[in-house]
């Protein structure tokens, strides 16, 4: 019998300020289904990174498993939570979920990079929730 496991992988944001991106997975080992929470940027320290405008999370791990990516949740509209959406969305191509104001900012980010804004789903105010795979 296959046992389910819960996976938490910070691809950015853990132990640092900015670039928030967290992958959660659940299911049988090797067959987990995933969600992403936030897709943000961080801003470089000009002393150590001159000429760099933004730093994006390294999404290669989840990109290799995007066939099992069920959705992207954006918690709020700060750059360190939504700023990488337009830059990286084409490499992930999963439905996006956000509350109304955050969805508006996400649409601007997507439009700026020629992405399909119809992938953004507005989640109604609390207590409304989204159930996606094993996650709610």
């Amino acid at each position: 019998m296959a046992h389910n496991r819960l996976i938490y992988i910070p691809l950015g944001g853990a132990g640092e300020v900015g670039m928030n991106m967290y992958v959660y997975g659940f299911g049988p080992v090797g067959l987990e289904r995933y969600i992403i929470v936030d897709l943000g940027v961080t801003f470089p320290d000009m002393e150590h990174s001159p000429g760099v405008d933004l730093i994006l999370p390294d999404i290669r791990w989840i990109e290799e498993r995007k066939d099992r990516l069920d959705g992207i949740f954006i918690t709020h509209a700060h750059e360190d939570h939504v700023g990488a959406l337009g830059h990286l969305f084409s490499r992930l191509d999963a439905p996006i979920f956000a509350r109304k104001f955050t969805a508006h900012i996400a649409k601007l980010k997507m439009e700026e990079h020629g992405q399909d804004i119809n992938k953004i789903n507005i989640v109604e105010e609390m207590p409304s929730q989204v159930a996606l795979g094993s996650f709610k």
Side-chain angles (χ1 to χ4, degrees):
M1 173 170 72
H3 290 73
N4 290 332
R5 71 174 174 171
L6 176 66
I7 296 174
Y8 163 71
I9 303 171
L11 296 180
E16 62 186 295
V17 175
M19 200 171 59
N20 293 285
M21 182 180 178
Y22 310 100
V23 175
Y24 295 87
F26 187 78
V29 174
L31 299 173
E32 299 88 358
R33 302 296 303 179
Y34 302 105
I35 62 169
I36 291 173
V37 177
D38 291 329
L39 203 50
V41 298
T42 195
F43 300 97
D45 173 353
M46 294 312 292
E47 184 178 321
H48 298 100
S49 305
V52 175
D53 294 326
L54 295 174
I55 300 173
L56 306 172
D58 181 352
I59 66 167
R60 288 177 292 180
W61 188 90
I62 190 64
E63 185 179 16
E64 292 170 0
R65 295 157 179 84
K66 72 179 183 179
D67 61 316
R68 293 186 278 145
L69 177 59
D70 292 331
I72 301 167
F73 292 84
I74 306 297
T75 60
H76 62 282
H78 290 165
E79 285 294 306
D80 61 330
H81 293 265
V82 70
L85 186 61
H87 294 279
L88 300 176
F89 178 77
S90 64
R91 293 170 54 192
L92 299 171
D93 193 26
I96 301 163
F97 300 89
R99 304 262 185 221
K100 188 176 182 179
F101 177 76
T102 303
H104 173 74
I105 300 301
K107 285 179 182 180
L108 295 175
K109 299 291 181 192
M110 296 281 281
E111 285 176 333
E112 182 180 347
H113 294 276
Q115 306 291 354
D116 182 4
I117 65 169
N118 294 312
K119 293 286 188 163
I120 300 173
N121 300 280
I122 295 176
V123 179
E124 296 302 320
E125 295 178 14
M126 291 294 287
S128 179
Q129 297 180 342
V130 173
L132 200 57
S134 297
F135 296 96
K136 184 175 183 182

